[in-house]
Amino acid sequence: MQKFKTLAFLLVVSMLLFSCGEYQKVLNKGTVEDQYKMAVKMYESQKYGKAIRLFEKVTPAYRGKPQMERIQFMVAQSNFNEKNYQTAGYYFDRFAKNYPSSSKLEEASFASALSYKLASPEFSKDPTDTNKALEAFQSFINAFPTSDKLEEANKHYKELRYKLQKKYFEIAKTYYTTADYDMRNYKAAIQAFDNLLEDYLGSEFKEEALYYRLKAAHDFTLKSYDRRKPERIKDAMEAYDKLIRNYPETKFKVEVDKMVAKLQKEKERIDDLISKSKELEDSK
């Protein structure tokens, strides 16, 4: 029994060595046709890294030929299976553009979007691939409204949209939290919250964004010179009205009421100063 196991093991090792040797021989010295056949064999054997190397070698020779459609798809799929998601997204996207009549168009379009999503980093990093994925899923949803992958595509789209909203919300919030050290960041925070609310209607962060928009305007007003306060009080009160209009029973109501009371008190003080200043001018 042991002898049989040893012989079986040696046979497997021999086959592997032969296979590796055959692959290297074709890779280095094989004809284009041999390399293509070996590439397909590696692909079908799920040896995607080896398949990619061979496909890269034969691609120039097959450009413009019928085999190129199959090659492009297998290159894209091989990169996806090797978790080279950014590269896979690029190749699936190229396939979809190059072969709009292909039977694999829907599959490639979905795979392109999914690849970019898998390549996209956490929300705090560069959103380039996240934006690509979002656009790709939107294109897929528009192009294939009856696809059996439509529900999954919508799910991915919503997750990506949430990721971007979170990124821009955190950027705006960072401007606000650092404004104590740089007053210019109040303006940056206000603009960033306005952009978020305008770009993502119905955002999951809407209530918090409206609250921090008000908070930034409130703090900016109180730290401003008196001559700047009337316009900034007006802006802060408009931010308050918008929050209450959208969320009459906002979870921030206690803090919001305190802020509004301070703004109203400050408005009364500024109005009094303006009134006295006018009286003084009139008396001259």
Side-chain angles (χ1 to χ4, degrees), residues 22-39:
E22 184 188 11
Y23 169 79
Q24 288 297 333
K25 183 179 177 181
V26 172
L27 177 68
N28 297 321
K29 297 180 180 179
T31 65
V32 171
E33 186 179 355
D34 288 339
Q35 289 173 342
Y36 172 70
K37 288 179 180 177
M38 179 62 76

Side-chain angles (χ1 to χ4, degrees), residues 173-227:
K173 196 173 173 182
T174 298
Y175 278 130
Y176 170 72
T177 56
T178 57
D180 278 342
Y181 309 103
D182 187 346
M183 283 276 288
R184 292 173 298 181
N185 283 353
Y186 282 122
K187 278 188 175 182
I190 289 168
Q191 186 61 58
F193 283 122
D194 283 344
N195 290 343
L196 172 65
L197 291 164
E198 185 177 335
D199 292 343
Y200 295 96
L201 301 175
S203 168
E204 290 89 336
F205 294 92
K206 186 173 182 178
E207 183 176 2
E208 285 183 89
L210 287 169
Y211 166 71
Y212 277 103
R213 166 62 169 88
L214 167 59
K215 198 168 173 61
H218 165 270
D219 293 2
F220 190 35
T221 298
L222 296 185
K223 292 179 182 179
S224 298
Y225 292 113
D226 283 350
R227 62 188 175 85

Side-chain angles (χ1 to χ4, degrees), residues 12 20 25 33 35 42 50 65 74 77 80 87 90 110-111 117 139-140 177 189 194 203 211 219 269 278:
V12 170
C20 290
K25 183 179 177 181
E33 186 179 355
Q35 289 173 342
M42 292 295 104
K50 289 184 175 182
K65 295 182 178 179
M74 287 190 288
Q77 190 65 56
F80 183 89
T87 304
Y90 168 76
F110 182 85
K117 185 192 178 194
S139 295
F140 178 84
T177 56
D194 283 344
S203 168
Y211 166 71
D219 293 2
R269 187 183 72 81
K278 285 183 179 178

